Amino acid sequence: MIRFMQPWWLLTLLPVLALAAFYVWRQRHRRAYAMRFTNVDLLRTLAPKGLGWRRHAAATALLLAMVALATGMARPAIDTKEPLERATVMLAIDVSLSMQADDVSPNRLEAAQEAAKQFVGELPASYNLGLVSFAKAANVLVAPTKDRAAVTAAIDGLTLAESTATGEAVFTCLEAVRSVPSDGAAGIPPARIVLLSDGFRTSGRSVEEAAAAAQAANVPVSTIAFGTDSGQVDIGGQLQRVPVDRLALAQLAETTEGHFYEAASVAELKQVYQDMGSSIGFRTEPREITQWYAGVALLLALCAGGLSLLWTSRML
């Protein structure tokens, strides 16, 4: 289907139509004048016998060329389907106060940020990537996108807050995955969640509820545990132990058929997306075809000039 990107330019057809109307009027006027002409011999010299309809061919071709040019100025386009990769990975990073513990050098949060950025650099460019941070609540910092720079910048800008809502992080990631446009593909895209955390859940829905929701959506959650059992942080002037909840993180990964890691290398994290596959949807994009109209106009103009030379020995 042809549509016009700048339809107001179609107004340039009006003077072309006016010229065509004037041509028709002029031809009818000439015919009426010829009927009143009494010198038949002289009339035959003015309008050679046998030219007939051919004397209108050049003018018709020229008018059609002008129509094509005027229409082309409106930038005609046709809709084309461009393939669009929908496979999505969501990163969820714990920013609770326990992540400032320095039992992992330089501290848990910075270690998680570094691992996350390495993962971003290795992820196939065709995949969507989103970022969620969670403490007392979970927030989408970057919706699924192919803009890796935006995700990296958001990772660098993470700040600490109180509490740990691990379950809410998973639910928020699932909602972000569902927000990826369908673009002609059926169902939600294939997706994976990578959750980087250390502590026990202290806020929001349970990890078990989150695991069940991810399992129902067929979205594996891979978890990465940062820290040791001897980790400590100073909160409100008091030194508190912040051991890692390996059991909950491991069960979350196992229930959803993801992977659990305690020390994650880039090579290990590649397992998260290697078996993910892809979902190719389609995005409709206009493809401009102005050059087609310009080509037709040129061809018609050449025909007009050629026919006029052939039948009247004049260009037009």
Side-chain angles (χ1 to χ4, degrees):
M1 179 178 178
I2 296 176
R3 59 191 179 97
F4 299 96
M5 299 173 68
Q6 295 181 344
W8 55 87
W9 280 104
L10 291 175
L11 291 173
T12 57
L13 286 170
L14 294 178
V16 178
L17 295 176
L19 181 61
F22 177 73
Y23 177 80
V24 172
W25 176 87
R26 181 62 177 166
Q27 295 305 308
R28 294 176 64 86
H29 180 75
R30 286 181 58 187
R31 189 177 300 113
Y33 177 74
M35 293 296 293
R36 295 194 301 269
F37 208 98
T38 58
N39 191 334
V40 178
D41 293 334
L42 180 58
L43 178 61
R44 286 173 179 168
T45 63
L46 294 174
K49 183 179 179 180
L51 194 58
W53 63 269
R54 290 178 295 176
R55 64 191 178 89
H56 302 298
T60 301
L62 179 60
L63 286 170
L64 290 175
M66 296 172 70
V67 168
L69 283 174
T71 307
M73 292 179 68
R75 298 180 62 192
I78 56 175
D79 289 336
T80 59
K81 286 187 174 181
E82 300 290 338
L84 182 68
E85 176 63 77
R86 299 174 65 239
T88 302
V89 174
M90 292 298 302
L91 274 174
I93 301 180
D94 184 352
V95 292
S96 60
L97 295 180
S98 60
M99 290 290 283
Q100 64 186 315
D102 59 4
D103 54 336
V104 176
S105 179
N107 61 51
R108 294 178 180 180
L109 179 60
E110 291 187 33
Q113 288 173 307
E114 185 60 32
K117 287 191 290 185
Q118 289 182 14
F119 179 71
V120 170
E122 288 290 325
L123 192 69
S126 61
Y127 288 3
N128 292 312
L129 177 63
L131 178 65
V132 167
S133 69
F134 65 98
K136 188 174 183 178
N139 300 291
V140 177
L141 301 184
V142 182
T145 178
K146 292 180 174 61
D147 185 355
R148 300 294 189 260
V151 178
T152 300
I155 291 172
D156 285 333
L158 292 175
T159 56
L160 298 172
E162 294 182 352
S163 300
T164 306
T166 311
E168 294 300 328
V170 175
F171 280 107
T172 301
C173 287
L174 292 174
E175 286 299 317
V177 169
R178 294 188 184 99
S179 73
V180 175
S182 63
D183 293 301
I188 67 172
R192 298 290 185 270
I193 296 173
V194 181
L195 188 141
L196 298 79
S197 182
D198 67 343
F200 291 80
R201 181 194 66 84
T202 59
S203 178
R205 284 170 283 187
S206 69
V207 176
E208 290 75 18
E209 289 178 276
Q215 185 180 37
N218 195 29
V219 177
V221 181
S222 291
T223 56
I224 305 172
F226 283 88
T228 64
D229 292 334
S230 60
Q232 294 180 326
V233 293
D234 187 339
I235 299 178
Q238 294 185 345
L239 202 61
Q240 297 185 16
R241 292 184 63 252
V242 283
V244 179
D245 189 4
R246 296 183 184 84
L247 179 60
L249 293 175
Q251 287 180 340
L252 174 59
E254 182 180 355
T255 302
T256 60
E257 299 183 359
H259 303 278
F260 169 70
Y261 308 101
E262 288 192 59
S265 66
V266 173
E268 289 174 329
L269 287 178
K270 284 184 179 180
Q271 296 179 42
V272 172
Y273 58 81
Q274 279 179 343
D275 63 340
M276 184 160 58
S278 64
S279 173
I280 301 296
F282 293 93
R283 176 172 52 201
T284 301
E285 295 284 352
R287 182 163 66 89
E288 195 170 340
I289 55 173
T290 303
Q291 68 276 13
W292 294 6
Y293 283 75
V296 169
L298 177 61
L299 181 61
L300 288 169
L302 290 173
C303 287
L307 293 174
S308 184
L309 284 173
L310 178 63
W311 290 332
T312 66
S313 299
R314 293 178 300 173
M315 179 65 72
L316 286 172

